[in-house]
Amino acid sequence: MLEERENKEPEMNPFQKNESKETLFSPVSTEEVPPQPPSPPKKPPPKICGSNYPLSIAFIVVNEFCERFSYYGMKAVLTLYFLYFLHWNEDTSTSVYHAFSSLCYFTPVLGAAIADSWLGKFKTVIYLSLVYVFGHVIKSLGALPILGGHMVHTVLSLIGLSLIALGTGGIKPCVAAFGGDQFEEKHAEERTRYFSVFYLSINAGSLISTFITPMLRGDVKCFGEDCYALAFGVPGLLMVIALVVFAMGSKIYKKPPPEGNIVTQVIKCVWFAISNRFKNRSRNIPKRQHWLDWAAEKYPKQLIMDVKALTRVLFLYIPVPMFWALLDQQGSRWTLQATKMNGNLVLNPFLVLIFIPLFDVVIYRLVSKCGINFTSLRKMAVGMILACLAFGVAALVEMKINEMALLKSGPQEIFLRVLNLADDEVKVTVLGNENNTLLLESIKSFQKMPHYSKLHLNTRSQDFHFHLKYHNSSINNAHFVEEKSWYTLIIREDRENISSMMVKDEESKTVNGMTSLRFVNTLHNKVNISLDTAISLSVGEDYGVSTYITVQGGEYPAVHCKTEDKNFLLNLGLLDIGSTYLFVIANNTGQGPQAWKMEDILANKMSILWQLPQYALVTAAEVMFSVTGLEFSYSQAPMSMKSVLQAAWLLTVAFGNIIVLIVAQFSGLVQWAEFVLFSCLLLVVCLIFSIMGYYYVPLKPENIQETSDKHIPHVHGNMINLETKKTKL
């Protein structure tokens, strides 16, 4: 009988401790438990105008609008602040700018860990918003010219940016997930639309701030300079408003408590499952349904189920960074493309404001009525395809721009233009076997040369010899030149004769809506020129040549000039964006000094409206991919890991930027070919993502419950989830 009983007893788990029968079979009390009074019914949260939308989401959406205004408003003038206030070069400014942007997408992991493990989402948003505001205050102080010197401004700026990155990144995963927490599972459709409205508020804040903060910087003067302190201070004020609005809804929020150190639990659970599987790799040990089931000896079943759901979604995220690698080039490669075109548009935020309601109210409903099951993963796959098409169009536009671009001088070549400032025509001959056929016709006084002439050198640098014929006299001059450069040969009066001088010209177009210009002064007195309260220069007398200065494009009808004995105004006319001008100050009409204008580099002729198709495609891709992915990340996350999965979603953005840096640094391709490369890479990734999505089984709401709903007993040691078994005693 004993042997029979032992055979019928279940095998003891080797990972469980030996426990007494008193532990395994606790006595059951026969005393009756007094009935508990019924708990009062929970009061339903207030709704918006009798709908299924909780009133609390209004505070969250307004908070997000103000916070995004704060963030994008500050970033709109950040590069200009680096260049013109801190006087960093373009490489340093660009590097710090992208380092700050990357940090903003790595800190969400920290914010999610704090929210889900320690403080909860509400307190995390409150506390990190205070850090956010403090960062704005320090950043604004660093933009005050009267506060310390260059080192103080630099230190305050870096400290402020670090705090802002911690604040904005820390609250990113919490705010969106906290809004999703306000909905009941039976209102999943309303929750999906909430995420669309949430994304709408992001782009509304971005669009408005992108217009306002540059105006605050340029139109308002502080201490005689551009007012960067105000341009940073107003976004800081909006962040204060965001914090106040969010706190006002405190009494009506649903505030799920934190689930403990969930990140650490996930890591330990995964590690134990892997190590346990490695220890029990014998063929005699039965296999388990999932590799995470090997953690069952130590961790609760609910935690294992949650980690399974988490890893399934994280696996699906592997191809996602490639999409962000394309989308985020709107602020880099596409912006640089726009600088080569005529015009200035803020397209993406504006189009997002139009496309989100268009897709939600019209397109998705039409697709649904056609009987097509347009799931979240299918929307994201279509978004990838649209992004591929957008970069294909961008490549075509880039090729068109290249056709209209400046000629490039090759090895042992230069481009030369002649400017005759003498009072009569001059015949110029370039001495040398290869170039003696150039400049055959005489050049009239103040004649505008339509183009540059290409000259060939014998070496990488050499002296060029010119023969000038003026009236009945001949002059020979030599000038030193270097290959791959652009030059202007200026012929000037020298008492009763003439002489020449060689000046090097600008070789590239200006960017960011700017134009470049310089002056040649033919007067006998030095001229001081004031183009703006912060832009002035001096030009030496008797054919002095100034350096290039960069100004905003636009009309300059009355520029103040001053010599030793008088003041006068110069009409520079319209300065087109992307152009480079040479102005000759002369008094050869008897009506006072005037400016004679010559265009060194022509303005951008290709309209920026050519970018509209690629922006429309990429914005549609963003709405279908980003908005859908935000809601998908929330709906598929276990209750204890909502913020963690939102942070993982944001982390894919950071990795997408890393892909751009790697390709840009090591591809060695021309720009249009790089666009084609990105388009092809995303097309391959889209195919992989579609296959992964085909085999992905979405989790249903009833399968994503809080741990407390499962009534899991408290765990002692390594004994967990003990199931009662029928045992013969």
Side-chain angles (χ1 to χ4, degrees):
M1 288 293 295
L2 181 60
E3 293 178 359
E4 181 182 355
R5 190 187 314 160
E6 289 177 350
N7 290 334
K8 291 183 179 179
E9 287 180 357
E11 294 182 6
M12 294 298 293
N13 194 318
F15 290 93
Q16 294 177 350
K17 294 180 179 179
N18 293 329
E19 301 206 10
S20 63
K21 293 180 180 179
E22 287 79 10
T23 303
L24 294 175
F25 305 100
S26 57
V28 180
S29 174
T30 57
E31 296 180 1
E32 294 185 1
V33 179
Q36 298 290 333
S39 58
K42 291 184 178 180
K43 185 178 179 181
K47 306 289 185 180
I48 298 177
C49 300
S51 66
N52 291 326
Y53 295 94
L55 179 61
S56 54
I57 66 169
F59 295 94
I60 297 172
V61 170
V62 174
N63 163 268
E64 185 65 13
F65 168 82
C66 295
E67 189 274 328
R68 290 292 87 185
F69 185 108
S70 171
Y71 176 74
Y72 285 108
M74 181 272 301
K75 284 189 70 177
V77 296
L78 189 59
T79 302
L80 297 177
Y81 171 78
F82 291 154
L83 288 171
Y84 302 120
F85 189 89
L86 296 182
H87 303 293
W88 292 350
N89 59 38
E90 290 187 4
D91 292 337
T92 303
S93 301
T94 303
S95 298
V96 175
Y97 180 87
H98 282 288
F100 167 71
S101 299
S102 298
L103 186 60
C104 290
Y105 284 100
F106 278 110
T107 50
V109 177
L110 178 61
I114 294 173
D116 284 344
S117 307
W118 180 26
L119 295 177
K121 300 182 188 72
F122 176 77
K123 290 184 178 180
T124 301
V125 173
I126 293 292
Y127 294 154
L128 290 183
S129 293
L130 292 173
V131 174
Y132 201 160
V133 171
F134 189 51
H136 272 298
V137 172
I138 295 178
K139 189 74 187 69
S140 300
L141 292 176
L144 289 173
I146 61 173
L147 188 63
H150 182 268
M151 181 58 67
V152 174
H153 294 151
T154 302
V155 172
L156 289 177
S157 297
L158 295 179
I159 293 175
L161 289 176
S162 299
L163 293 175
I164 291 173
L166 176 61
T168 186
I171 68 176
K172 272 179 186 291
C174 302
V175 176
F178 189 65
D181 290 342
Q182 308 306 306
F183 291 86
E184 302 174 27
E185 286 299 336
K186 61 182 179 181
H187 298 145
E189 183 178 350
E190 286 80 2
R191 185 181 63 201
T192 300
R193 291 183 179 173
Y194 152 75
F195 280 104
S196 296
V197 175
F198 184 84
Y199 206 81
L200 197 70
S201 68
I202 292 175
N203 286 273
S206 169
L207 177 65
I208 297 174
S209 66
T210 304
F211 282 110
I212 292 179
T213 51
M215 293 170 59
L216 295 175
R217 176 197 67 87
D219 296 346
V220 181
K221 301 299 177 183
C222 300
F223 309 101
E225 300 179 5
D226 288 345
C227 199
Y228 288 100
L230 182 63
F232 291 140
V234 170
L237 178 62
L238 264 292
M239 191 58 222
V240 173
I241 296 174
L243 175 59
V244 172
V245 170
F246 186 78
M248 286 172 59
S250 175
K251 293 184 178 180
I252 60 174
Y253 290 142
K254 288 173 60 178
K255 302 174 185 176
E259 300 287 340
N261 196 344
I262 194 65
V263 176
T264 304
Q265 291 182 41
V266 170
I267 295 174
K268 289 182 177 180
C269 180
V270 171
W271 176 253
F272 182 81
I274 295 174
S275 59
N276 192 18
R277 178 68 184 91
F278 182 77
K279 293 175 183 177
N280 296 275
R281 59 184 182 276
S282 173
R283 295 182 179 179
N284 298 327
I285 300 177
K287 294 183 178 180
R288 301 189 182 182
Q289 187 176 6
H290 194 278
W291 63 272
L292 277 169
D293 291 334
W294 289 94
E297 284 79 12
K298 187 175 181 180
Y299 292 96
K301 181 179 179 182
Q302 182 62 37
L303 176 63
I304 296 174
M305 291 175 61
D306 288 352
V307 176
K308 286 180 182 179
L310 179 68
T311 53
R312 289 169 70 246
V313 180
L314 290 180
F315 177 73
L316 204 60
Y317 281 177
I318 292 176
V320 168
M322 196 65 226
F323 175 84
W324 299 117
L326 275 70
L327 187 71
D328 285 356
Q329 289 189 56
Q330 295 176 82
S332 56
R333 295 300 195 191
W334 285 19
T335 301
L336 293 175
Q337 186 185 71
T339 62
K340 307 171 190 174
M341 307 173 76
N342 186 15
N344 187 20
L345 291 175
V346 182
L347 286 173
N348 181 255
F350 178 73
L351 290 176
V352 168
L353 295 179
I354 297 175
F355 280 14
I356 286 180
L358 176 66
F359 275 76
D360 276 350
V361 178
V362 180
I363 296 178
Y364 289 157
R365 292 189 179 183
L366 288 177
V367 172
S368 178
K369 288 184 178 181
C370 292
I372 300 174
N373 184 18
F374 210 23
T375 63
S376 296
L377 295 179
R378 289 177 180 175
K379 293 177 184 176
M380 294 170 70
V382 173
M384 287 183 172
I385 295 174
L386 292 176
C388 293
L389 296 175
F391 266 68
V393 174
L396 294 176
V397 172
E398 189 69 23
M399 294 169 67
K400 185 68 175 178
I401 291 174
N402 291 341
E403 293 177 4
M404 305 172 65
L406 292 172
L407 296 174
K408 295 294 183 181
S409 54
Q412 298 186 14
E413 290 180 350
I414 66 167
F415 282 96
L416 178 69
R417 179 186 61 179
V418 179
L419 174 59
N420 180 15
L421 301 183
D423 60 355
D424 203 352
E425 64 179 24
V426 177
K427 180 73 168 67
V428 181
T429 303
V430 183
L431 302 180
N433 295 330
E434 295 186 40
N435 303 308
N436 55 9
T437 58
L438 300 175
L439 307 174
L440 296 177
E441 298 181 0
S442 297
I443 302 171
K444 297 179 180 180
S445 177
F446 285 84
Q447 177 182 342
K448 294 183 178 181
M449 300 297 291
H451 55 78
Y452 285 79
S453 299
K454 182 188 293 186
L455 302 182
H456 298 277
L457 308 182
N458 297 324
T459 59
R460 296 177 62 183
S461 61
Q462 70 179 64
D463 285 330
F464 247 114
H465 297 271
F466 299 90
H467 177 76
L468 310 178
K469 188 174 182 180
Y470 172 70
H471 292 167
N472 295 324
S473 59
S474 297
I475 300 98
N476 290 326
N477 290 132
H479 298 286
F480 179 77
V481 294
E482 295 178 322
E483 66 175 357
K484 301 180 180 179
S485 300
W486 295 61
Y487 293 95
T488 295
L489 179 69
I490 299 178
I491 302 171
R492 63 182 185 177
E493 294 182 3
D494 190 0
R495 295 192 179 102
E496 296 181 358
N497 213 327
I498 62 171
S499 63
S500 63
M501 54 189 289
M502 185 79 78
V503 294
K504 193 172 183 179
D505 295 342
E506 192 78 68
E507 300 173 23
S508 59
K509 290 179 178 287
T510 54
V511 296
N512 296 328
M514 308 295 283
T515 187
S516 184
L517 63 153
R518 65 176 173 179
F519 294 86
V520 176
N521 178 22
T522 67
L523 306 180
H524 299 300
N525 295 311
K526 184 176 70 172
V527 178
N528 295 314
I529 304 172
S530 298
L531 286 150
D532 198 349
T533 55
I535 302 176
S536 61
L537 73 159
S538 296
V539 191
E541 68 275 8
D542 295 326
Y543 298 94
V545 182
S546 73
T547 59
Y548 281 102
I549 58 171
T550 302
V551 298
Q552 290 283 347
E555 289 279 354
Y556 288 83
V559 175
H560 293 272
C561 300
K562 181 180 180 180
T563 62
E564 291 181 355
D565 54 355
K566 63 178 178 180
N567 298 332
F568 59 91
L569 299 176
L570 290 179
N571 180 13
L572 303 186
L574 175 65
L575 305 184
D576 285 329
I577 295 172
S579 292
T580 299
Y581 295 96
L582 172 67
F583 288 94
V584 179
I585 304 174
N587 189 11
N588 53 5
T589 62
Q591 300 177 359
Q594 295 182 353
W596 182 78
K597 180 167 64 173
M598 187 153 105
E599 205 167 5
D600 290 352
I601 297 178
L602 299 178
N604 302 326
K605 299 301 182 183
M606 188 171 179
S607 173
I608 201 169
L609 293 178
W610 282 93
Q611 279 194 323
L612 186 58
Q614 68 196 58
Y615 269 102
L617 286 169
V618 83
T619 304
E622 181 180 358
V623 170
M624 298 190 72
F625 188 92
S626 186
V627 179
T628 306
L630 197 66
E631 193 276 334
F632 178 80
S633 299
Y634 181 89
S635 65
Q636 297 299 294
M639 186 59 66
S640 61
M641 302 180 188
K642 298 292 186 184
S643 297
V644 171
L645 206 52
Q646 291 288 321
W649 173 256
L650 295 170
L651 197 60
T652 60
V653 181
F655 286 113
N657 282 282
I658 293 174
I659 294 174
V660 177
L661 292 175
I662 293 173
V663 174
Q665 289 294 325
F666 300 106
S667 68
L669 300 173
V670 295
Q671 192 55 69
W672 69 265
E674 187 177 292
F675 285 154
V676 173
L677 173 64
F678 274 109
S679 181
C680 294
L681 287 175
L682 184 59
L683 191 62
V684 174
V685 167
C686 177
L687 179 62
I688 297 172
F689 180 81
S690 300
I691 295 173
M692 295 168 64
Y694 179 79
Y695 290 101
Y696 180 84
V697 180
L699 292 179
K700 297 180 181 179
E702 57 267 20
N703 294 333
I704 311 175
Q705 301 293 338
E706 293 190 54
T707 305
S708 57
D709 294 340
K710 294 293 184 179
H711 303 288
I712 296 177
H714 187 69
V715 179
H716 293 281
N718 290 336
M719 296 297 297
I720 53 112
N721 287 335
L722 294 178
E723 299 180 5
T724 57
K725 300 179 182 295
K726 294 181 179 180
T727 307
K728 294 182 179 180
L729 296 179

